[in-house]
Amino acid sequence: MEIRDNRTEISLALGEAVLDIVQKGQDVSRENIARTMKFKAERERDDDRLLNYWKACNLLI
């Protein structure tokens, strides 16, 4: 169950980043997604969500 929840949270984090990029009219690229994820992670106070942002960024590599 935890692995599935992790995947869901990571997918949501990536989806939020893509949505932010699209709303700003930018190209959806690995670079832009990673930049957006980094920006979100820097402002995240929840350690679990921060970890999910980090995991999602590693998936982009």
Side-chain angles (χ1 to χ4, degrees):
M1 182 76 165
E2 185 176 325
I3 292 172
R4 188 173 67 193
D5 290 342
N6 243 358
R7 287 182 181 169
T8 300
E9 290 300 319
I10 291 168
S11 295
L12 288 172
L14 285 168
E16 288 174 10
V18 170
L19 182 61
D20 287 351
I21 292 166
V22 170
Q23 288 177 335
K24 291 177 183 174
Q26 300 173 345
D27 290 332
V28 177
S29 66
R30 284 183 179 203
E31 181 180 316
N32 283 342
I33 295 171
R35 185 180 307 118
T36 301
M37 297 293 287
K38 181 179 181 272
F39 180 78
K40 288 179 165 291
E42 289 172 346
R43 284 156 180 71
E44 184 59 58
R45 294 177 188 250
D46 182 302
D47 288 341
D48 290 331
R49 278 193 58 86
L50 177 60
L51 181 59
N52 287 330
Y53 284 132
W54 180 83
K55 288 176 182 178
C57 281
N58 280 323
L59 290 173
L60 296 171
I61 297 175

